[in-house]
Amino acid sequence: MDWVMGLQRAIDYVEEHITEELDYDEIARQSYSTSYHFQRVFGLLCGYTLGEYIRNRRLTLAGGELAGNHAKVIDVALKYGYDNPDSFARAFTRFHGITPSQARREGAKLNSFSRLSLKLSLEGGCVMEYKIVEKQEMVLTGYKRRFTGVPHITKEYADQTKDFYMHTRVNQMLLRYMTADGSQTTDYNVVDHVDDDGYDFYIAEQLVEWYHTHLAEDIVLGEEAARFEDIVIPAGTYAVFETERCKFPTQKHVELRKRIASEWLPSSDYILADRPELVVTHWYRKPEEENRYIELWVPVRKK
């Protein structure tokens, strides 16, 4: 209940100060949590970032003001945090589909992004298996792309991931050639540096020590080694969840992540820690394809 009340307090705080410069640390304090934890859980629950919520709410209110009175565009732009009318006009047009000046015309159609309001309902009552692991430092090798939006749960994530995998086949083959998993059935994704602008998404593998040591030498990849970088997963506490075993566990992974945010975290003694997240995919081949599963390694710390 404290978590639900805290989240509502944070949303109310945003709305009450929507025309002011908002401090994410102060917003998080309203929810009795850290800024990192609040922003990550907010994104997982809502499907958009805290920054997107604030921006869409401001543009909604700005549209209403322009349509409802004779306010000057520059005054409305400044009121809702835009330093100049050009940047305001670009954002306004992307959101509403018309320019600020067109919004002042009678009958102009505008978009509205509604205020969030939490409704208490009975959920959960289901068993979630997990384990708390004190993990030692781990070094993976891979390559990254900067993604936009919220990790894991949105169509935007699915589209970006598909495109990234489709256009980096050679990199994947080179990594798997040097993998520590001789059967090549275990793959790693790493999510790091999550903020309002997006996050770093890595495709990675755990290499055989010899290959990792000699990666840049001519006998391994030579100049091709520049494609990759080491990804250090710091030592720390992780909550580890597994999907059910099935042929295609990818969608199960999305559902599980939502349950972690909406059910497990609010009732646990942990909050999210600012460390990389790991998604470990065990993609067995025939005849073991029905035993495929995904592990979610969620970095946490005690409240």
Side-chain angles (χ1 to χ4, degrees), residues 8-255:
Q8 186 63 65
R9 274 169 49 94
I11 294 168
D12 292 343
Y13 178 87
V14 168
E15 294 292 339
E16 290 164 7
H17 298 82
I18 197 71
T19 60
E20 304 169 20
E21 184 175 350
L22 288 164
D23 183 337
Y24 282 17
D25 289 336
E26 183 57 39
I27 295 171
R29 276 193 287 272
Q30 304 299 314
S31 71
Y32 316 110
S33 66
T34 66
S35 179
Y36 183 83
H37 176 85
F38 178 79
Q39 290 185 66
R40 290 290 290 114
V41 172
F42 184 94
L44 288 169
L45 291 176
C46 299
Y48 44 80
T49 68
L50 177 59
E52 288 174 318
Y53 176 77
I54 293 170
R55 181 168 57 254
N56 290 342
R57 287 293 296 141
R58 284 173 170 168
L59 290 169
T60 294
L61 296 170
E65 290 198 18
L66 289 172
N69 57 46
H70 299 290
K72 294 180 179 179
V73 172
I74 183 61
D75 292 338
V76 175
L78 291 172
K79 179 178 180 179
Y80 290 104
Y82 291 86
D83 295 332
N84 63 74
D86 290 337
S87 60
F88 174 66
R90 287 192 295 270
F92 191 95
T93 302
R94 282 196 300 269
F95 181 76
H96 289 287
I98 58 175
T99 65
S101 59
Q102 290 172 331
R104 300 173 66 179
R105 298 174 184 172
E106 184 177 353
K109 292 183 178 180
L110 297 168
N111 291 323
S112 177
F113 188 87
S114 59
R115 173 176 179 161
L116 279 174
S117 180
L118 298 182
K119 295 182 179 179
L120 184 62
S121 62
L122 290 175
E123 295 182 351
C126 302
V127 174
M128 287 192 71
E129 292 186 353
Y130 71 97
K131 57 186 177 182
I132 300 296
V133 176
E134 292 298 328
K135 187 173 182 59
Q136 299 300 310
E137 181 179 281
M138 178 182 186
V139 179
L140 300 173
T141 302
Y143 56 100
K144 70 181 178 184
R145 181 181 291 180
R146 187 71 178 172
F147 283 7
T148 58
V150 176
H152 303 300
I153 65 170
T154 63
K155 184 179 184 301
E156 183 179 15
Y157 163 81
D159 290 343
Q160 291 178 105
T161 305
K162 180 180 178 180
D163 181 76
F164 192 26
Y165 268 95
M166 288 289 290
H167 290 88
T168 58
R169 296 294 193 194
V170 173
N171 286 4
Q172 294 162 50
M173 291 173 62
L174 290 172
L175 281 177
R176 285 174 178 167
Y177 172 74
M178 301 177 288
T179 183
D181 178 5
S183 62
Q184 298 184 345
T185 59
T186 303
D187 297 314
Y188 295 86
N189 292 136
V190 182
V191 171
D192 199 9
H193 303 119
V194 181
D195 58 33
D196 261 356
D197 297 324
Y199 52 97
D200 291 339
F201 182 88
Y202 291 85
I203 295 174
E205 298 286 354
Q206 187 172 26
L207 304 189
V208 172
E209 185 176 351
W210 186 90
Y211 280 126
H212 182 259
T213 302
H214 301 281
L215 180 62
E217 297 179 5
D218 290 340
I219 56 174
V220 183
L221 292 183
E223 293 181 358
E224 296 297 318
R227 295 171 181 261
F228 308 113
E229 62 180 284
D230 282 345
I231 308 137
V232 178
I233 311 299
T237 305
Y238 285 81
V240 183
F241 301 81
E242 296 180 4
T243 66
E244 63 183 77
R245 268 61 169 173
C246 60
K247 188 173 183 179
F248 299 110
T250 308
Q251 186 59 39
K252 303 294 184 182
H253 147 247
V254 174
E255 296 168 0

